[in-house]
Amino acid sequence: MARKAQIAKQQKNAKFKTREKNRCKVCGRTHGYMSKYGVCRICFREMAANGEIPGVKKSSW
């Protein structure tokens, strides 16, 4: 249920321009965001382990 709230929050327009944040496209998380991939570090690790990100393979994490 928390993810639904985060995604809904992500889709709302910010009241002020300075409040806009980069958010993970999968879960809506703001911290640990990797701008090159558009996802947070947790989703990045899961996607890399499953082979869903081209050019990235799991190392020893």
Side-chain angles (χ1 to χ4, degrees):
M1 178 131 177
R3 283 190 175 186
K4 287 183 182 181
Q6 287 177 343
I7 292 170
K9 195 175 199 181
Q10 177 183 3
Q11 293 172 348
K12 284 176 60 176
N13 290 334
K15 189 172 184 180
F16 302 103
K17 189 170 188 163
T18 55
R19 288 190 184 172
E20 292 179 5
K21 288 193 172 199
N22 293 325
R23 291 186 174 266
C24 176
K25 304 294 186 253
V26 179
C27 64
R29 183 179 164 86
T30 58
H31 295 285
Y33 179 77
M34 302 174 80
S35 60
K36 184 175 180 180
Y37 299 100
V39 294
C40 66
R41 61 182 177 80
I42 297 167
C43 295
F44 177 79
R45 287 184 64 179
E46 289 174 1
M47 293 171 76
N50 295 333
E52 298 174 6
I53 301 176
V56 176
K57 63 180 181 181
K58 185 178 180 299
S59 184
S60 58
W61 285 326

